[in-house]
Amino acid sequence: MTIFKSLPNRKGTRSAKWDLVKNIFGSDDVQPMWIADMDIEIAEPIKDALIKRIEHGVFGYTITDNQLNLTIKNWLRKQHKWEIDPDWIIYSPGVLTTIHMTILSQTNPGDKILIQTPVYHPFHQIIKYHDRELVTNPLIFENGQYTIDFDDLEEKFKQGVKALLFCSPHNPVGRVWTKSELVKILELAKKYNVLIISDEIHADLIYQPYQHIPLNSLDTMMSNRIVSCYSPTKTFNLAGLQVSYAIVPCKKMREEIASALSNYGMGSLNTLGITALEAAYQHGDEWLSHLIKLLDHNRQIVKKAFANCTKIDVIEPEGTYLLWLDCRKMNLTQGELVKFMNEEAKVGLNNGLSFGEEGRGFMRLNLASPSSYIKVGVDKIIAALDRLS
């Protein structure tokens, strides 16, 4: 973890996380711990590959090829024990882009699309933007653990849901779904002929003893009804390079999504994004191993800090570098809670309500920074709570 001790100075780099602090939180002295990128430098092999590519000096249209496909195939086999056909891969600038194009090409206006709330806020927006009907299957929260309400899910599927926008691992609650949970999802989707768009962008960020299982690795009978979305951007802190891919075994659906991407002018990728993806998947293993240790250490810092706190409960994540804080015992309105974090604690977190009504009383904290930075932020919250009482 020594390689992650220094906090990079990101101010003035057009960083959304740092340079929008005053706009988002109302003051320059708020410590940003919100948007899902890392305050951590990328792995040296990725940086070296990017420098070498830049030194080449020419940045014309860049293709994806079989060598890149095989790099992804090998990564998925090594990381997740999933054997794919390289021909199943399609590329896009981002996972959200793929979701947009899949909804456009595989559903119609007015179709019902289901999400499991509280969940990543763009899911809500994408469905409404494309004039689809938003259906929610709220997760069950009991004894500090989130689970899927399968009875409600089946009832919603019965009512004509066309697609499930699935988050695995789940953002923001940090669940890594078990094999039995995933199998049940697949059984119900098969029974009611529901398309599954599976956002698995956090798949590589898993804590022991949990294991991410690619949804489409479990049931070949459903493979033609699943779009699995991946990217190295969360794993290796490359969001600004805009590169992702999807695994789509169904040839017809793959061609339709690829056509939609092309029709909307998104058929080619950033040259440096392609370079970074290849370097990350070929040479990023050691860096990722260190990162997981750092994130695990950081989640333990937060858990320990709030262990004796009577106002905030930590929902310990099984995966992702995002941590869900249950602040309902503070007995504040959501507006008061946000104001408390911004103005009293001087820490900028994500508003839980943005993830759906089920996020009322919650806040999301980003763990992907040096441990000293995490400790400072958590200590600010604890100190503000002490003043409040």
Side-chain angles (χ1 to χ4, degrees):
M1 288 184 292
T2 55
I3 60 172
F4 301 127
K5 281 191 173 181
S6 299
L7 183 73
N9 180 9
R10 301 180 62 193
K11 292 181 179 179
T13 64
R14 298 189 177 93
S15 161
K17 184 175 185 179
W18 285 84
D19 290 332
L20 290 180
V21 166
K22 187 172 183 178
N23 300 55
I24 301 296
F25 303 107
S27 175
D28 284 326
D29 61 352
V30 172
Q31 179 175 340
M33 303 180 79
W34 60 300
I35 197 168
D37 68 11
M38 306 187 205
D39 294 315
I40 289 168
E41 287 193 20
I42 63 173
E44 284 297 323
I46 303 175
K47 190 185 297 186
D48 291 343
L50 290 170
I51 291 170
K52 182 179 179 180
R53 185 65 186 84
I54 289 168
E55 287 177 342
H56 177 264
V58 180
F59 305 97
Y61 295 111
T62 306
I63 62 169
T64 55
D65 56 15
N66 191 54
Q67 179 179 327
L68 193 65
N69 290 351
L70 289 175
T71 296
I72 291 172
K73 174 184 170 70
N74 292 337
W75 179 261
L76 293 175
R77 177 199 295 133
K78 179 174 58 178
Q79 287 293 114
H80 305 297
K81 300 180 176 61
W82 185 19
E83 286 289 344
I84 68 160
D85 184 330
D87 289 341
W88 295 349
I89 299 170
I90 56 175
Y91 294 91
S92 86
V95 164
L96 289 178
T97 305
T98 304
I99 294 171
H100 274 283
M101 295 302 112
T102 303
I103 287 174
L104 275 172
S105 65
Q106 304 303 309
T107 68
N108 297 305
D111 281 352
K112 294 180 178 180
I113 300 180
L114 184 143
I115 59 176
Q116 296 170 307
T117 49
V119 73
Y120 185 43
H121 48 87
F123 283 13
H124 307 247
Q125 299 161 357
I126 290 173
I127 294 167
K128 293 178 180 178
Y129 179 78
H130 294 296
D131 297 320
R132 275 55 171 176
E133 181 179 341
L134 176 65
V135 178
T136 62
N137 167 229
L139 299 176
I140 297 170
F141 183 51
E142 290 180 341
N143 302 317
Q145 173 84 342
Y146 281 91
T147 56
I148 296 169
D149 186 340
F150 284 106
D151 291 336
D152 179 71
L153 181 63
E154 181 164 18
E155 187 59 35
K156 300 288 174 59
F157 279 4
K158 281 181 184 178
Q159 295 169 14
V161 165
K162 297 297 183 182
L164 163 64
L165 187 42
F166 188 53
C167 196
S168 177
H170 194 281
N171 171 14
V173 309
R175 274 301 315 277
V176 175
W177 305 115
T178 64
K179 183 176 180 179
S180 62
E181 288 171 316
L182 295 174
V183 167
K184 185 66 173 176
I185 288 278
L186 290 168
E187 288 173 348
L188 291 174
K190 186 188 303 181
K191 183 176 180 180
Y192 296 100
N193 193 30
V194 175
L195 168 71
I196 303 177
I197 308 168
S198 188
D199 177 357
E200 303 185 22
I201 195 170
H202 295 275
D204 301 319
L205 301 169
I206 309 296
Y207 307 109
Q208 291 294 332
Y210 306 101
Q211 179 184 354
H212 173 75
I213 302 172
L215 186 66
N216 214 349
S217 70
L218 291 176
D219 190 338
T220 55
M221 296 294 290
M222 267 296 291
S223 64
N224 284 346
R225 298 291 289 152
I226 301 173
V227 176
S228 302
C229 304
Y230 282 81
S231 174
T233 56
K234 282 289 181 284
T235 307
F236 293 100
N237 202 26
L238 303 169
L241 295 182
Q242 297 183 321
V243 58
S244 79
Y245 58 94
I247 310 300
V248 190
C250 175
K251 182 180 179 181
K252 179 177 182 292
M253 184 157 58
R254 187 168 65 246
E255 290 176 348
E256 289 171 349
I257 296 170
S259 178
L261 284 162
S262 180
N263 290 342
Y264 279 83
M266 299 176 185
S268 59
L269 295 184
N270 181 312
T271 302
L272 297 184
I274 294 172
T275 301
L277 185 157
E278 186 170 49
Y281 280 1
Q282 290 182 353
H283 307 293
D285 303 62
E286 183 178 0
W287 183 92
L288 178 57
S289 177
H290 285 293
L291 174 69
I292 297 293
K293 290 176 183 177
L294 171 78
L295 299 177
D296 189 23
H297 182 63
N298 287 352
R299 70 173 181 152
Q300 298 307 324
I301 286 175
V302 180
K303 182 180 177 182
K304 183 177 179 181
F306 286 104
N308 298 316
C309 178
T310 60
K311 299 293 186 182
I312 295 179
D313 294 320
V314 175
I315 313 305
E316 190 170 1
E318 300 168 352
T320 82
Y321 55 72
L322 306 166
L323 189 143
W324 198 228
L325 296 175
D326 183 353
C327 309
R328 291 175 298 172
K329 293 175 185 175
M330 293 178 67
N331 295 318
L332 301 176
T333 67
Q334 192 68 22
E336 290 169 342
L337 175 58
V338 171
K339 185 176 181 180
F340 169 83
M341 292 296 179
N342 295 352
E343 298 182 10
E344 298 298 327
K346 292 292 185 179
V347 172
L349 309 181
N350 286 96
N351 184 345
L353 194 56
S354 68
F355 301 91
E357 179 60 34
E358 294 76 17
R360 187 179 295 276
F362 292 79
M363 300 292 283
R364 192 189 75 173
L365 183 149
N366 182 341
L367 293 168
S369 298
S371 296
S372 57
Y373 185 81
I374 299 298
K375 189 174 187 310
V376 168
V378 172
D379 286 348
K380 285 181 178 180
I381 297 173
I382 297 292
L385 286 170
D386 289 343
R387 292 194 298 272
L388 187 67
S389 58

